[in-house]
Amino acid sequence: MDFKRITAIILLSAMVMLTSCSVGEIIQSGAVDYSEESVIGSAAGNAAVVSELSEIIYALTIDSIKLPEFSDTASAISKCGDSLLNHLLTTNYSRFSGSTEVLKNASEKYPHLGITAAIGASDYEGALYKYFNHGGNIRHSDTSRFRYLSKIEAYIPAVQTIANSFSLDIVAIDETPSTYRMTFYCAEGDEVSQEYYAVFVKRDKGGCYIQSIRTVASEKVSYTVPEVFS
């Protein structure tokens, strides 16, 4: 084997090793684990934070106190994409109805459908980033409650949208340098959900997105402190 061939083999091996390292870094990269961060205080008294976290929670379900559980962006989108569209339309109806460019296109390309409200694909993608920090490509298609119209690149409701009517019973919002950790229940009338624990990651320029949510208790436990007689 001549010198040039040996050199070529060595260079090829080095390239393979570098490529393997790069692939490994890509595979291992993902959501940052903030579980070891120390709590620096409570954000339960911060009205702006409470409002922002609550809005994100309301985008996870459609009029149900049972929330989906997830620990990564892909699962969040898979389980909550439909409810996010519902949330956008029920909370910002005026934005997606009336005299919008999307609806003008809809009346031209789908005149037989009589479309009165539509969520543009770009608006949906923006919401995915806002709520779940998803910044990649999205394969737009029909969902269980919305129809995707490719000619106008927008979603229209296939069934009646439903606004959430439950309330949040927030137990605690612990703040760390990078996150908010909220423990809470969903309540509607006499019905109370399991206890949930959600982690929200702060953004450098303000605001936050949800990273994970899981149940931590099967039911709400009430304990009455007995009176102390002197």
Side-chain angles (χ1 to χ4, degrees), residues 80-183:
C80 306
D82 210 33
S83 62
L84 178 56
L85 286 166
N86 180 81
H87 178 73
L88 290 175
L89 200 54
T90 56
T91 57
N92 293 280
Y93 185 79
S94 60
R95 176 182 173 186
F96 302 111
S97 63
S99 182
T100 68
E101 192 63 33
V102 173
L103 289 180
K104 290 178 182 178
N105 291 335
S107 64
E108 295 175 1
K109 297 178 179 178
Y110 298 95
H112 60 290
L113 294 181
I115 301 170
T116 58
I119 301 172
S122 60
D123 290 305
Y124 177 54
E125 290 172 2
L128 289 175
Y129 175 75
K130 175 183 177 181
Y131 291 91
F132 305 116
N133 200 44
H134 179 81
N137 295 326
I138 292 293
R139 182 179 178 275
H140 295 284
S141 60
D142 294 347
T143 72
S144 61
R145 302 181 67 88
F146 286 81
R147 180 180 175 187
Y148 182 69
L149 304 179
S150 59
K151 292 182 180 179
I152 60 173
E153 298 183 334
Y155 291 87
I156 63 171
V159 297
Q160 184 176 358
T161 55
I162 304 174
N164 285 320
S165 58
F166 62 86
S167 60
L168 297 184
D169 181 357
I170 298 174
V171 178
I173 303 178
D174 293 328
E175 182 177 2
T176 75
S178 303
T179 69
Y180 296 110
R181 304 169 181 174
M182 186 167 77
T183 306

Side-chain angles (χ1 to χ4, degrees), residues 41-62:
S42 172
N46 188 322
V49 171
V50 172
S51 177
E52 182 175 18
L53 304 191
S54 298
E55 183 190 1
I56 294 175
I57 295 300
Y58 283 121
L60 305 183
T61 183
I62 301 177

